[in-house]
Structures are given as C-alpha cells and as structure tokens.
Amino acid sequence: MERRSVVAVPARLRSSRLPNKVLADIGGRPMIQRVLERCRAAVGPEAVVLCTDSRQLQGLAEDWGFPVLMTAEHCSSGSERIASVVEPLMALAWGGREPDPLRTAVINVQGDQPFLDPAVVTAMTETFARLDPVPAVVTPVYRLKPDTIHNPNVVKTLLAHDGRALYFSRSAIPHVRDVDPSEWHGHATYWGHVGMYGFRGDVLAGWDQLPASPLEDLERLEQLRLIEAGHMIATFEVNGTSLSVDTAEQLEQARAMARSID
C-alpha cells in the first residue's frame, strides 16, 4: 500500500521570547535556512514546505528553492498553522494525484531546530510506512539521563509496552512511590520527547474539530489534546534531542556549535 509524506516547517517572525529568531544568523546562514536544508537531506519525504504568514520569509525560502504556503497571521501553534494548509500540503505529497489522507504523513518540523538530524525525519517516514494500520500520530522519544528527569523544561512521556505514548508531562513520570526522587532513575526508564510530529493527513485536517483539552491547558503541551481526543500516538526511539533556540543564550550556543561543526 503506497504511502506518501511531506515535511511542513511552520515559521513566523513574531516570536515573543526571541523576535525574528528564525532569521538569526548562525554560521553565515539564517536559522530557518539551516532547518529547511536539513529536512531536504532526509530520505523519504516528497517535499519540504515552509508554512508562514511572512512575505519576507516566503521570498527567502523561494530563493533557496523551497515551496511556500502562506497561512493566516494568527495561529496559536505550529500544528494549527500547518493544519490550516493541510490540503495543499497533501497535494504536494502526491504530486498532482488525488491525495489519500489515510496514507499521507505530514511531518511537522519546528523552524528553530538548526541542527536537526535528517536521519530523524527519515526514520519518521519509515515508521509511517512500516506500521499497519497507519498511526494517527508518530513522534520521536529518547532515554533521559538522571539529571534531566526532574527538569520541567524537558518534556517527558510515558510509554506502553508497544511504544504507544500514554501521557506527556513536564513532571517526572512515572512517580516512584516510597523512593527518594533522586533515585527514581534506578527503578524505571524515563523517556524525553522530541518536539517533532508526523500527523496522518485526516488527523491534521480535523485539528480544528478537536475538543478543548484541560490537560493541554494545565501542562502547556498541545499533544495532550490529541490524547484526550482518543488519538493513538506511536513513538520511535532516537539517540537524543536537538537544540531548540528559544532564548538569546540558546542562540549563542547554536552559534558556538556552528563554529565547531561547519
């Protein structure tokens, strides 16, 4: 059964924490250019598409050779942004043929991960191609080191035996009863979540119809909206997560990394 995939990179200039960060220079190239080029190096996706409300970003991406889909200015998340253009995204995946949403994966890669490993995107497409039935959502996870288990800035996930994500939290899960928290890592495997999602086409097309999620509001994690709505989230293991640039300090870290590897 043929399946198709497309990478969608949502991006905006109005970042509240670090304005214009996707255009920040990292080793002589704007951050968003690095993200797009790394996605293009992946094996499997039919296209890498910038989804943005910025005409400036549109012009740059097209100069670099990437297709662009324009979105509304006010989108509450990257997922909402790509969901608003899911039909043309699926059309690009199928190259002019009639798209099949049940056999289309739309891979959401945030525009602030300048050192994303293309192999992770490749693994995402392979996971969609391998699993039967096609999962609603696929996302990468990695084993946490003991010193990150209790860091609320690191998103954790709890997995079932078959790799399904049971829950996501900023707290350490599972809670190990009657054991000092500093020793929890010796009693359970703790998983971190990489902020990348592959959506089956029909799931992304129904984004606006997902019911409100109290858990999402509490944890500030949009993937909980999917779980509360009953969607199964499949996972696959990767070696670790890549740097996401949200602060000036992380931007300097990214520039230092570029000097060491470019």
Side-chain angles (χ1 to χ4, degrees):
M1 181 175 66
E2 183 182 15
R3 302 176 188 182
R4 294 291 187 102
S5 63
V6 60
V7 175
V9 181
R12 63 189 179 117
L13 291 180
R14 295 182 180 180
S15 172
S16 57
R17 299 179 68 181
L18 193 61
N20 295 332
K21 69 176 181 179
V22 296
L23 289 178
D25 181 90
I26 298 176
R29 281 178 290 165
M31 177 161 57
I32 190 64
Q33 183 181 4
R34 285 181 171 268
V35 174
L36 292 168
E37 290 175 347
R38 283 181 171 262
C39 290
R40 186 160 57 186
V43 177
E46 305 299 324
V48 177
V49 186
L50 179 69
C51 303
T52 185
D53 61 355
S54 166
R55 292 295 179 186
Q56 181 181 0
L57 291 179
Q58 177 192 23
L60 289 170
E62 290 176 344
D63 287 344
W64 300 327
F66 294 93
V68 178
L69 291 174
M70 298 303 294
T71 70
E73 181 176 347
H74 299 293
C75 293
S76 62
S77 68
S79 297
E80 181 180 327
R81 190 173 300 278
I82 67 172
S84 70
V85 289
V86 63
E87 297 298 335
L89 281 171
M90 290 194 291
L92 285 167
W94 287 86
R97 295 160 54 191
E98 182 67 25
D100 184 344
L102 296 177
R103 294 188 288 128
T104 308
V106 180
I107 300 172
N108 181 359
V109 176
Q110 297 299 320
D112 59 4
Q113 300 181 66
F115 303 105
L116 170 75
D117 185 354
V120 177
V121 179
T122 299
M124 180 85 77
T125 62
E126 291 174 345
T127 301
F128 264 105
R130 173 177 51 84
L131 295 179
D132 191 21
V134 181
V137 186
V138 173
T139 195
V141 297
Y142 64 101
R143 294 175 186 264
L144 286 175
K145 297 178 180 179
D147 61 353
T148 58
I149 290 172
H150 298 285
N151 183 346
N153 295 317
V154 176
V155 178
K156 274 73 69 173
T157 185
L158 188 63
L159 303 183
H161 290 301
D162 61 1
R164 287 177 296 120
L166 298 174
Y167 191 67
F168 295 86
S169 181
R170 297 186 182 279
S171 301
I173 46 175
H175 177 97
V176 184
R177 184 176 175 181
D178 300 327
V179 174
D180 188 276
S182 64
E183 302 297 326
W184 285 5
H185 64 276
H187 297 263
T189 300
Y190 287 85
W191 296 94
H193 175 234
V194 179
M196 182 192 306
Y197 304 94
F199 296 98
R200 200 174 62 212
D202 63 307
V203 174
L204 192 60
W207 185 266
D208 287 343
Q209 283 71 53
L210 291 173
S213 167
L215 292 175
E216 177 190 15
D217 293 340
L218 289 171
E219 297 254 21
R220 297 293 189 267
L221 297 174
E222 66 177 355
Q223 59 269 46
L224 293 175
R225 188 188 315 186
L226 293 159
I227 287 182
E228 281 206 87
H231 288 303
M232 191 272 280
I233 300 180
T235 69
F236 64 95
E237 184 177 356
V238 295
N239 291 329
T241 189
S242 61
L243 174 68
S244 294
V245 178
D246 291 313
T247 65
E249 181 181 8
Q250 290 168 334
L251 178 57
E252 290 308 313
Q253 183 181 352
R255 287 168 171 162
M257 290 175 64
R259 287 192 293 269
S260 66
I261 65 177
D262 286 354

